[in-house]
Amino acid sequence: MEMTTVPEVRALPGIIGRMTPALAHAISRQGRARTRAAVALAWLIGASVPGATVGATASDASHATARTLTVAQATGITYPREGVTAAPLDSRSAARPQAAVALATDFAAHARRAASLGVPLIVLVSLRDCVYCGPIRERELAPLVRSGKYEVREIGMDSATPIRDFDNSTTTGVAWARAHGVKVSPTVLFLDTQGRPVADPLIGAGLPDFYGAYLEDAIARGRTRVRPSGDATAR
């Protein structure tokens, strides 16, 4: 079956030109066949979202791209099971492998460290039975942790373990996720010292070849909105 609605290869430069630099860079690293397929998919996703068309004007480009990436990312998600809450961590369960990304314990302290590095606080919201969280944790976030240039933490949206929130109050993963509007895992948030978002969240596991580009782009957007003091600039 011939796909007559997908742009020809000669149209690729124009399409890529309307993408964010990070996503365009990721696509440029793919082979020709994979590039054609990836851009075709991106085009089809964009065409299915109102306002996210290939022929969008320059003034609409950034908003259309954001909507397109949101749709592309919203794959590979796990919903929490209603009424199931993980018990608070004890000495035995706390020893489970979690070295790639440390668990959140004090959001105010984590956010201050992130601000001192000039980057947003990156928070992976996960579930214990989420099969998609492991790849995001190990493949995408662990390298950021190892670089020492970012503050990355994880919180379980089904966790009843007490943690300290941005305002120094005590909360749990269940309440924290609800307060931040997180409904599925994995979700990656980018926050300032007040817990306010400074970039759109990454929801779902998305497409492995491009998740890194989405992550890089979100961090770059968040970095421009976080001052060294940790305050966010106005949108």
Side-chain angles (χ1 to χ4, degrees), residues 3-167:
M3 298 179 65
T4 58
T5 58
V6 176
E8 297 295 332
V9 173
R10 64 175 175 271
L12 295 184
I15 298 172
I16 294 176
R18 292 183 176 90
M19 296 179 178
T20 60
L23 182 55
H25 177 64
I27 289 178
S28 70
R29 293 200 300 258
Q30 310 301 315
R32 176 172 295 184
R34 294 178 71 186
T35 298
R36 182 199 295 257
V39 174
L41 176 61
W43 188 86
L44 288 173
I45 292 172
S48 70
V49 179
T53 60
V54 173
T57 63
S59 62
D60 294 333
S62 61
H63 297 293
T65 300
R67 285 192 291 270
T68 300
L69 296 188
T70 298
V71 174
Q73 279 295 322
T75 57
I77 58 178
T78 301
Y79 288 87
R81 289 178 290 173
E82 188 173 354
V84 177
T85 303
L89 294 178
D90 55 26
S91 59
R92 191 165 44 181
S93 59
R96 65 191 175 92
Q98 195 73 37
V101 176
L103 293 172
T105 56
D106 184 335
F107 278 108
H110 304 328
R112 285 195 298 269
R113 182 175 187 276
S116 72
L117 296 170
V119 295
L121 171 63
I122 302 170
V123 181
L124 168 62
V125 186
S126 63
L127 284 166
R128 292 197 181 192
D129 59 354
C130 174
V131 298
Y132 307 105
C133 294
I136 298 303
R137 182 189 301 117
E138 301 290 338
R139 184 187 66 228
E140 307 296 346
L141 300 180
L144 301 183
V145 174
R146 290 194 293 268
S147 75
K149 298 178 181 179
Y150 305 90
E151 179 72 0
V152 186
R153 293 284 168 161
E154 180 173 350
I155 185 170
M157 64 184 298
D158 57 347
S159 173
T161 301
I163 55 175
R164 191 174 297 279
D165 209 343
F166 290 93
D167 61 359

